[in-house]
Amino acid sequence: MLRPLASLIIASVLTMPALEVYAALGRPPSTLAGNVSHPVPAAVARRLAATAPMAPNLYTVQETQLESRTVVREYATPAGQVFAVTWKGPVLPNLQTLLGGYFPAFEQETAQARQAGRQRSRVLLQTPALVVQSSGRMGRFSGHAYAPDLVPAGVDIQALLP
Amino acid sequence: MRHFPILIRLIILALVAGALVACGGGGGGTAAACSNASSNSTPAYSTYISNQSNAVELTVDNGPPCSGYNVNRLYTSVTVCQSGNASLCQTIDHVLVDTGSTGLRLLHSVLNPALNLGTVTAASGRPLLNCIQFVDNSHAFGRVATADVTLGPKIAANLPIQIIADPAYTALSSNCASGTGNNTPATLGANGILGVGMTAQDCGIDCTTISSNNYYFTCTTGTCSAAVGTTATLAKQITNPVSRFATDNNGVVIDLPAVPSQGATSIAGQMLFGIGTASNNTPIAGVVSLTTATDGYITTAPVGAPTVLSNASMGNSFIDTGSNGVYFDATLPLCSSATDFYCPASNTTVPTTLSGTNMSSTSVSFVAGNAQSLFNTSRSVLPTLTGPMGDSTTFDWGLPFFYGRRVFIGMENTTTSLGTGPLYAF
């Protein structure tokens, strides 16, 4: 089975602003290694790894550790559009930032679940336009989101995700 | 003044009146239940024995008045007193008992203002604020206060707790998360959360050195018009009250009765404090202890073939009273209306094995029922409620796992007769 994460190349460890270090689903990924030119503030997150496009040039992976220690991975097309994100760690990343234009659909789904008595329950949103999974407990969060329409042909999205 | 006063009840009624209109999706939450706040007072079963030195009664019922249709939520009552003032106290009912989180969190709206619980300050000298996130991106945000907290006969004095949605700080909650706040009994499904999980503090050592930790904030101005992340010493962090008891402080036992597969309106049980510290919390022969790393994870694996489970070994599994169903990926059919639950045509028995980091393992067989049929009963105790997880590494053993079991949950870095925590045993 394709397990691309095992072949992640540690490209560099960079310091990044703590906020907005990751990009939204459907947008370009956060600034890639080598392109960081802005000053580094005191509060930082670490860029853990970035890959060259995975053979045969189907997508790139960028992994960022936020200062909260939560790790965010962004999967982008060679053209630079994020089609999937994952997160794992002690706090939730800012999902409004991470989901971008897809955030309202996530909000609508979770609002409906809450009104049905399922407050704070794990999220499993599966629509043609957006898939979001979010689970865990205090201090142990994990989840992923992807836009099926944006996944490049030939990429097995299930193999990328936990 | 052992219950929240009439005025506060009226405020709660007013707050949730709007929410009731919208509560049709889960299949319950009728206006009749709302107008009859005492309908939860007669549990169908009881294993609670009063006058024990280390126990508190638990219930699973429809929750606080007018809080909608609550399913598989475990509640207890908590008494909070102004620190050092035993004559200024309030008992809060329907506080959610959550073994998946740490610390006591109470809604500002259910607290009598006369309690006037003192605010903990950050190193800056300004109020220390706390954020807890939930997996649906909702949150609870508010100041850290101290109180003398009583659970049954046990006292945790001068305990840091969270006051959720104190209006003085609510405008700052966007620092906590981008989603909605659990600011009322209707949105929380409870009057507070009692986290009696495996850790002593909600954040722990990371928050003593990292300021952008997303748990702790402090005001940047005297009027608290803005907030910024801050470190917090362990002593100031939201703390598991069990860890602060003078004795019986190494964990808890959740002891709930068995429930027929079709469910029950309510049940009662008990939480015992301590493991192996008294005759009533000493494990009997045959109890298997599953130790975990600091992450609290055990491994769940299917038994036999064929199995309905989709994954062979789920190493990020956990047992948690705060999850209101049992969640795992399987080939069971989804419900047509509530599509994030399973609706098998008939009750399906699923055999599994659970194992800990100590290589100890034990068999657990559970029944997956038809979730829509369960919701249609409008009952609050649904022992066969199951749904998909969407994660091949995780099996979430929520509250239904606890029905008919005595489950021991040992806190990290404590010594128990079942081993060194963190651990689960049953």
Side-chain angles (χ1 to χ4, degrees):
Chain A
M1 181 197 292
L2 179 64
R3 274 289 166 195
L5 298 181
S7 61
L8 272 179
I9 304 161
I10 303 299
S12 61
V13 176
L14 297 171
T15 51
M16 293 283 290
L19 299 175
E20 311 295 330
V21 291
Y22 38 79
L25 208 55
R27 306 292 295 274
S30 38
T31 314
L32 287 167
N35 291 342
V36 180
S37 57
H38 45 75
V40 177
V44 296
R46 287 195 304 142
R47 173 74 52 77
L48 293 181
T51 62
M54 303 299 290
N57 295 335
L58 291 176
Y59 63 94
T60 61
V61 184
Q62 181 167 297
E63 185 173 272
T64 305
Q65 184 175 44
L66 310 182
E67 198 184 8
S68 63
R69 298 187 185 239
T70 292
V71 173
V72 173
R73 285 191 185 128
E74 299 164 71
Y75 297 84
T77 64
Q81 186 178 38
V82 175
F83 63 87
V85 293
T86 70
W87 60 90
K88 189 175 182 68
V91 306
L92 277 177
N94 186 320
L95 293 186
Q96 186 165 22
T97 303
L98 206 56
L99 300 184
Y102 294 85
F103 185 69
F106 171 84
E107 284 272 82
Q108 184 179 10
E109 167 74 10
T110 52
Q112 286 174 355
R114 278 190 286 273
Q115 287 180 353
R118 301 196 291 280
Q119 302 100 323
R120 304 179 304 285
S121 188
R122 66 89 181 81
V123 176
L124 191 54
L125 168 64
Q126 290 177 299
T127 66
L130 177 66
V131 174
V132 185
Q133 192 272 346
S134 176
S135 61
R137 297 159 292 158
M138 171 186 270
R140 316 276 174 223
F141 293 98
S142 65
H144 60 256
Y146 66 93
D149 292 345
L150 303 183
V151 178
V155 170
D156 179 0
I157 188 69
Q158 294 306 327
L160 296 184
L161 304 173
Chain B
M1 200 198 24
R2 306 291 289 185
H3 277 269
F4 46 93
I6 293 297
L7 175 61
I8 302 295
R9 284 180 180 274
L10 290 175
I11 291 170
I12 294 167
L13 286 169
L15 281 171
V16 301
L20 269 171
V21 178
C23 73
T30 63
C34 183
S35 63
N36 183 9
S38 63
S39 64
N40 295 322
S41 62
T42 319
Y45 309 89
S46 180
T47 59
Y48 174 64
I49 303 166
S50 59
N51 299 319
Q52 298 174 100
S53 65
N54 61 341
V56 65
E57 185 167 24
L58 304 175
T59 58
V60 182
D61 60 29
N62 199 36
C66 302
S67 63
Y69 180 27
N70 287 294
V71 167
N72 292 332
R73 296 200 190 282
L74 184 64
Y75 299 108
T76 194
S77 291
V78 176
T79 299
V80 289
C81 305
Q82 194 181 69
S83 289
N85 188 349
S87 64
L88 199 50
C89 302
Q90 181 182 3
T91 296
I92 313 291
D93 65 300
H94 284 105
V95 176
L96 195 71
V97 177
D98 180 14
T99 61
S101 72
T102 292
L104 178 63
R105 302 160 195 283
L106 297 171
L107 289 170
H108 172 86
S109 62
V110 305
L111 289 172
N112 187 327
L115 276 179
N116 196 24
L117 300 178
T119 299
V120 174
T121 55
S124 65
R126 294 189 167 123
L128 184 63
L129 309 172
N130 180 257
C131 162
I132 176 175
Q133 298 171 302
F134 303 102
V135 293
D136 66 349
N137 202 40
S138 67
H139 64 268
F141 182 79
R143 69 185 173 106
V144 181
T146 53
D148 292 345
V149 173
T150 299
L151 301 174
K154 308 295 287 188
I155 296 175
N158 207 27
L159 184 78
I161 68 173
Q162 184 194 31
I163 309 300
I164 302 171
D166 182 332
Y169 309 103
T170 299
L172 304 173
S173 65
S174 60
N175 288 283
C176 180
S178 51
T180 183
N182 291 275
N183 293 347
T184 67
T187 51
L188 198 60
N191 292 322
I193 299 174
L194 174 62
V196 288
M198 293 171 150
T199 62
Q201 293 88 22
D202 64 347
C203 179
I205 199 74
D206 280 357
C207 286
T208 66
T209 58
I210 301 171
S211 57
S212 292
N213 54 62
N214 212 65
Y215 283 84
Y216 289 95
F217 299 85
T218 189
C219 306
T220 56
T221 65
T223 57
C224 212
S225 56
V228 65
T230 184
T231 57
T233 63
L234 293 179
K236 289 184 176 181
Q237 292 185 22
I238 305 294
T239 299
N240 189 331
V242 177
S243 72
R244 294 279 295 273
F245 294 159
T247 58
D248 307 313
N249 52 20
N250 58 355
V252 298
V253 186
I254 304 293
D255 184 3
L256 299 176
V259 181
S261 63
Q262 69 272 24
T265 305
S266 65
I267 59 170
Q270 63 182 348
M271 174 161 57
L272 305 172
F273 302 112
I275 295 174
T277 58
S279 58
N280 65 358
N281 62 25
T282 297
I284 60 170
V287 168
V288 175
S289 177
L290 307 177
T291 61
T292 79
T294 54
D295 56 21
Y297 289 135
I298 54 174
T299 297
T300 303
V303 170
T307 175
V308 297
L309 296 180
S310 300
N311 301 293
S313 179
M314 290 157 275
N316 292 341
S317 299
F318 55 93
I319 301 172
D320 172 26
T321 62
S323 298
N324 67 349
V326 173
Y327 299 110
F328 53 93
D329 287 340
T331 55
L332 296 169
L334 298 173
C335 302
S336 55
S337 52
T339 57
D340 49 356
F341 290 93
Y342 290 129
C343 274
S346 58
N347 284 347
T348 304
T349 300
V350 184
T352 70
T353 297
L354 277 56
S355 53
T357 53
N358 55 349
M359 296 300 139
S360 186
S361 66
T362 187
S363 298
V364 172
S365 200
F366 71 97
V367 174
N370 185 297
Q372 192 56 55
S373 299
L374 293 168
F375 290 141
N376 289 345
T377 67
S378 296
R379 292 174 179 145
S380 289
V381 192
L382 305 180
T384 60
L385 182 65
T386 61
M389 189 74 213
D391 180 339
S392 64
T393 67
T394 302
F395 196 120
D396 178 355
W397 295 93
L399 194 64
F401 172 83
F402 290 81
Y403 299 152
R405 286 192 170 89
R406 278 168 68 94
V407 182
F408 299 76
I409 298 177
M411 292 176 56
E412 67 179 10
N413 303 321
T414 66
T415 302
T416 79
S417 58
L418 289 163
T420 300
L423 63 83
Y424 307 98
F426 47 91

